[in-house]
Amino acid sequence: MKSDNVKTGMQQAPHRSLFNALGMTKEELEKPLVGIVCSYNEIVPGHMNLDKIAQAVKMGVAMAGGTPVMFPAIAVCDGIAMGHIGMKYSLVTRDLIADSTECMALAHQFDALVMIPNCDKNVPGLLMAAARVNVPTVFVSGGPMLAGHVKGSKTSLSSMFEAVGAYAAGKMSEEDVEEFECKACPTCGSCSGMYTANSMNCLTEALGMGLPGNGTIPAVYSERIKLAKHAGMAVMEMYRKNIRPRDIMTKEAILNALTVDMALGCSTNSMLHLPAIAHEVGFDFDISFANEISAKTPNLCHLAPAGHAYMEDLNEAGGVYAVMNELKEAGLIHEDCMTVTGMTIGEAISGAVNKNPEIIRPLDNPYSKTGGLAVLKGNLAPDGSVVKRSAVVPEMMKHEGPARVFDCEEDAIKAIKGGEIVEGDVVVIRYEGPKGGPGMREMLNPTSAIAGMGLGSTVALITDGRFSGASRGASIGHVSPEAAVGGPIALVKEGDIIKIDIDNNSITLDVPEEELARRKAEWKPREPKVTTGYLARYASMVTSGNRGAILEINEK
């Protein structure tokens, strides 16, 4: 056992004295030590139930012959952090989570781990840590929130943000907004649409790192507690068979995850997190893979914000495994990839049944023949940009309009809510990338304001920042290179014509090359927005969005 390094032999007598201080028995120390990495806290709705999940996991581990020991991971609620300086601290926590979990797991020599995340950066951060530590590991999330109900219709957090835009446009009363406020988020759990948290939890199943149902069983269902117990049992079986994360998270498994992403219509943030996870296992993930896979992968699900279905509906329809079984029939899944079930993914999904062909469309009746995400390139984004194609209305798949340029999110929101943005405009928000933000803020407030004011089918938004999974419309993010390093988005001027063609994966700034060269020669880097603390260190090390905003040491 790896944990023998801290508990066996005369040299480890001092270590054992500290385990005695914890109240551990000799019998417990004779068993494998299993770290339970729990991100429970009292500020994130998706995490307030994780203490119950952790206790169930610990019971499962103990029942299967291990000694469970819990330690924490942090988590930021993107909804609460949205629209102010707090959002600069969202994406950056992914690396804090990975780093701190690596430190705890290796410092204490755990034999196996069970990861209990739920929200946006928490899941990929712990997947990155799992790849680094590489001991048997299972993921079990806290589960999604149930949908809210307002005026007889299901709703969710994205509707809440759009209600604010509708109020600004005079289309909704203060009383109507208050009703949404009280009813949009009715339970604990990750917000109920196919936003980033649920996208990443679903992709743990596709990667093979989570048990079936991990992405979709609602947080308030007793089935979630049973799943947690089974996760504890499963990690002990993995320990006995010596199945490790790098045996599971192979190149083929990551491509499976990208394929499932396309079918589900996941958040654009998965195009930040999958490259970062791939980087940890030594796979150079080019975001252009997305178009290659999208071209052959049908979009089978339209969950909020793309449609009016929610995670509870996907769960009842058969969940992620049912979606994967549809894809398997088309030969789109690498079936030989190992999973935490001890079976290959092909074996694991073989019995999954699509119970609702309206929620999970069959292959012969997809929402579209191509996947939910697209990578756009052109002279405005030479290294790529990302759009959630499945959440774009048909009339905006091709758009041409004048640039309305803003150097921060706050200025853009003020202009949108002030009625300064009109039909046909292309809103450009720059200096919000990984380095320039710093922290690559999500732009849910401006996209929701555009939708809420009735401009969602006529106005596009382009940024070197990113979008919440709750954003919809022609919202194009991750523009790379970003403005802070002199990318072309820094050269756009008010009124320049921008051409967007999502079907042909292109985004073009209609300005002559000579003029762009002249503007480039005149461009000067801006003073950093933050010069102290973690954000300053992050900005000095972070790469661009097209590389997953991973951290690298800058050699001088």
Side-chain angles (χ1 to χ4, degrees), residues 382-403:
D383 293 337
S385 60
V386 182
V387 63
K388 188 170 184 175
R389 173 167 36 200
S390 60
V392 180
V393 294
E395 55 266 38
M396 288 298 289
M397 296 297 282
K398 195 169 186 176
H399 181 75
E400 179 178 327

Side-chain angles (χ1 to χ4, degrees), residues 236-263:
M236 293 310 300
E237 188 63 21
M238 289 179 69
Y239 172 76
R240 284 186 278 272
K241 294 180 178 178
N242 196 29
I243 300 173
R244 299 169 182 253
R246 291 189 190 179
D247 300 325
I248 296 171
M249 290 192 286
T250 60
K251 173 182 177 180
E252 289 73 23
I254 290 168
L255 294 178
N256 277 348
L258 184 55
T259 299
V260 174
D261 185 307
M262 294 296 172

Side-chain angles (χ1 to χ4, degrees), residues 258-259 261-265 290-302 327 330 332 361-374 389-390 397 502-503 505:
L258 184 55
T259 299
D261 185 307
M262 294 296 172
L264 288 173
N291 290 340
E292 183 182 331
I293 287 181
S294 179
K296 58 185 179 182
T297 306
N299 178 220
L300 304 181
C301 300
H302 260 196
L327 298 173
L332 296 173
R361 292 278 185 93
L363 292 171
D364 59 2
N365 184 34
Y367 283 100
S368 65
K369 293 181 179 180
T370 53
L373 298 181
R389 173 167 36 200
S390 60
M397 296 297 282
I502 295 174
D503 285 330
N505 305 316

Side-chain angles (χ1 to χ4, degrees), residues 137-264:
T137 302
V138 174
F139 275 66
V140 56
S141 77
M145 186 184 290
L146 293 178
H149 291 265
V150 178
K151 301 186 188 306
S153 298
K154 285 185 177 182
T155 190
S156 62
L157 184 67
S158 54
S159 300
M160 182 70 252
F161 275 91
E162 290 178 18
V164 176
Y167 174 76
K171 298 181 178 182
M172 190 175 283
S173 69
E174 188 172 342
E175 290 74 19
D176 288 333
V177 174
E178 186 176 355
E179 183 177 8
F180 269 93
E181 184 179 327
C182 294
K183 296 180 178 179
C185 300
T187 74
C188 64
S190 47
C191 296
S192 56
M194 188 55 80
Y195 311 147
T196 307
N198 291 327
S199 295
M200 293 309 302
N201 281 321
C202 286
L203 295 187
T204 63
E205 293 187 51
L207 282 168
M209 292 296 293
L211 294 174
N214 183 51
T216 59
I217 297 171
V220 294
Y221 283 14
S222 298
E223 192 67 25
R224 174 64 57 179
I225 299 296
K226 292 165 67 175
L227 181 74
K229 292 175 183 175
H230 282 129
M233 298 177 201
V235 81
M236 293 310 300
E237 188 63 21
M238 289 179 69
Y239 172 76
R240 284 186 278 272
K241 294 180 178 178
N242 196 29
I243 300 173
R244 299 169 182 253
R246 291 189 190 179
D247 300 325
I248 296 171
M249 290 192 286
T250 60
K251 173 182 177 180
E252 289 73 23
I254 290 168
L255 294 178
N256 277 348
L258 184 55
T259 299
V260 174
D261 185 307
M262 294 296 172
L264 288 173

Side-chain angles (χ1 to χ4, degrees), residues 294-318:
S294 179
K296 58 185 179 182
T297 306
N299 178 220
L300 304 181
C301 300
H302 260 196
L303 279 73
H308 300 290
Y310 296 86
M311 295 304 296
E312 62 205 66
D313 302 311
L314 178 59
N315 186 63
E316 295 301 320

Side-chain angles (χ1 to χ4, degrees), residues 91 272 432-440 464-465 482 538-539 542-545 549:
L91 177 61
L272 282 174
E432 290 284 6
K435 191 177 291 290
M440 204 178 187
D464 53 6
E482 63 174 293
Y538 180 88
V542 70
T543 63
S544 64

